[in-house]
Amino acid sequence: MAPIPLPLVGILPARAPLGAFFTATSMIGFIAGAGIIVRNSIILVDFIELRRAQGMELADAVVDAGVVGSRPCCLPPLPLL
């Protein structure tokens, strides 16, 4: 649940110089972004656990999850861009 507030770190400072308010449309985007971040986090943790079950060391499993697991994490958000 820790990654959920992270979109606010980017949303609020980015809107301040533009003088834009945090509107309902911004909130919908925040919710969508938070959902994508949570899903990606779950994918990475699951991939790490899978590699650990295959006998990999923790550090190697984390690096492998970051390299191999980044593809399914990057593909779903691309249509939103």
Side-chain angles (χ1 to χ4, degrees):
M1 300 311 273
I4 292 176
L6 290 178
L8 282 178
V9 174
I11 291 172
L12 295 179
R15 297 186 73 77
L18 300 173
F21 296 107
F22 193 68
T23 61
T25 307
S26 300
M27 186 56 126
I28 292 170
F30 166 72
I31 292 169
I36 290 171
I37 289 172
V38 169
R39 183 183 55 204
N40 293 347
S41 300
I42 292 169
I43 289 171
L44 287 175
V45 169
D46 185 48
F47 199 81
I48 292 169
E49 290 177 356
L50 177 69
R51 293 296 190 206
R52 292 280 293 153
Q54 293 174 350
M56 260 189 184
E57 293 293 324
L58 179 61
D60 294 333
V62 170
V63 170
D64 194 39
V67 172
V68 178
S70 62
R71 182 171 179 227
C73 290
C74 293
L75 290 178
L78 284 178
L80 294 176
L81 300 176

